[in-house]
Amino acid sequence: MKDRIILISGGTSGIGLAAARLFLSRGMKVALAGRSEAKGRAAISALDTRHAGEMFREKAKYIMADVSQPEGCERLVKDTIARFGRIDVLVNSAGVYFEQPAEDLTEEDYTRVMDVNLKGIMFLTKYALPYLKEAKGNIVNVSSDAGLRGNYLCSLYCASKGAVTLYTKSLAIELAPHGVRVNCVCPGDILTPMTESQLQAAISREEALQAMASVYPLQRIGTAEEAAAVIAFLASSAASFVTGAAWSVDGGLTA
């Protein structure tokens, strides 16, 4: 996969950034997309390391984009093509987490969650597809264990991620004749900045972390690097006969 072009939404932190680092270490070029320019600059700085004599940051480009807006998705694809000339792999990693009792949900809650978690994936895919078909590339969507089963106080979030999982499977069937594979990963709790903010809000971070980990058969939560490794596998030729799959990365939670 050396010199292939990877576009990652939500690439400035967490799983997306870990995936970018892994792709870069394998000789690929990466476009990182996110809404915050400050986070984008920080992400590129975080990639300021050397591997095999090359600087990661020289093969990585941050592009500011709001994927909750279709025009933002279209502009992101155009900017990626202008910078790199093609797109071989699309990783839809942008997402928001949300907990709320069903009776307290508002239309604003619905719009915020669905626009990022579902609409962003669908429209970024729409605009990237002509280039992915040309490259016979592939797509990896980031769903969730909540896209496979219900979670407490997460009806809206589960609905958004469940939609991502079935969108993945349907799109895989549609694009198979074009040689484009489509898969998703379904992580459980992963130690990312988003999860860390939840832990820091607890009275005791360590006790909260232990409680979070206790429901997993492996007795811990995952790392962004572990989720990224599965994304990289699905994006590679090693997974050439894998499409329409929802890969659990959850320490046995949904077994």
Side-chain angles (χ1 to χ4, degrees):
M1 292 185 68
K2 183 176 173 61
D3 292 327
R4 288 190 181 179
I5 309 303
I6 320 294
L7 171 56
I8 306 177
S9 72
T12 58
S13 67
I15 293 172
L17 183 57
R21 184 176 287 107
L22 185 53
F23 284 128
L24 288 164
S25 74
R26 297 180 180 181
M28 302 168 218
K29 299 175 183 178
V30 177
L32 304 173
R35 288 183 292 183
S36 167
E37 186 173 356
K39 285 186 178 180
R41 288 196 300 267
I44 295 298
S45 295
L47 297 173
D48 192 10
T49 54
R50 189 175 293 276
H51 181 82
E54 295 183 342
M55 296 298 292
F56 278 176
R57 66 184 302 171
E58 294 173 0
K59 293 192 172 185
K61 170 71 173 178
Y62 166 68
I63 301 173
M64 182 184 291
D66 181 359
V67 297
S68 70
Q69 303 298 320
E71 58 270 23
C73 296
E74 183 177 20
R75 186 168 55 253
L76 172 56
V77 169
K78 287 181 177 179
D79 288 350
T80 302
I81 294 300
R83 174 65 177 83
F84 292 112
R86 68 180 195 272
I87 299 173
D88 297 297
V89 178
L90 171 63
V91 178
N92 284 303
S93 183
V96 294
Y97 179 71
F98 185 73
E99 291 183 4
Q100 182 83 300
E103 62 185 343
D104 295 333
L105 291 175
T106 66
E107 186 175 2
E108 288 74 18
D109 295 332
Y110 177 89
T111 299
R112 182 170 67 90
V113 173
M114 287 296 190
D115 279 4
V116 176
N117 290 2
L118 181 59
K119 188 168 79 173
I121 287 179
M122 295 181 76
F123 278 91
L124 188 53
T125 299
K126 166 188 167 69
Y127 291 114
L129 270 179
Y131 305 101
L132 291 168
K133 287 179 179 179
E134 182 179 353
K136 294 193 181 302
N138 66 84
I139 301 167
V140 184
N141 297 321
V142 177
S143 182
S144 169
D145 69 285
L148 300 174
R149 63 171 200 164
N151 280 355
Y152 185 66
L153 293 177
C154 286
S155 58
L156 175 57
Y157 180 73
C158 287
S160 71
K161 290 299 188 178
V164 170
T165 301
L166 285 183
Y167 172 73
T168 297
K169 290 178 175 292
S170 179
L171 193 63
I173 297 170
E174 180 181 334
L175 296 181
H178 299 279
V180 177
R181 297 184 299 107
V182 189
N183 295 287
C184 67
V185 294
C186 299
D189 287 306
I190 302 291
L191 195 58
T192 63
M194 185 166 61
T195 305
E196 191 63 53
S197 66
Q198 293 176 261
L199 295 172
Q200 294 294 344
I203 296 174
S204 168
R205 179 192 179 279
E206 292 308 313
E207 288 182 5
L209 180 58
Q210 289 175 10
M212 185 181 289
S214 67
V215 302
Y216 290 86
L218 289 182
Q219 291 294 294
R220 66 177 179 85
I221 68 173
T223 67
E225 289 71 24
E226 288 171 321
V230 179
I231 291 172
F233 164 71
L234 291 172
S236 76
S237 59
S240 58
F241 200 54
V242 179
T243 195
W247 279 60
S248 295
V249 188
D250 64 7
L253 183 67
T254 56

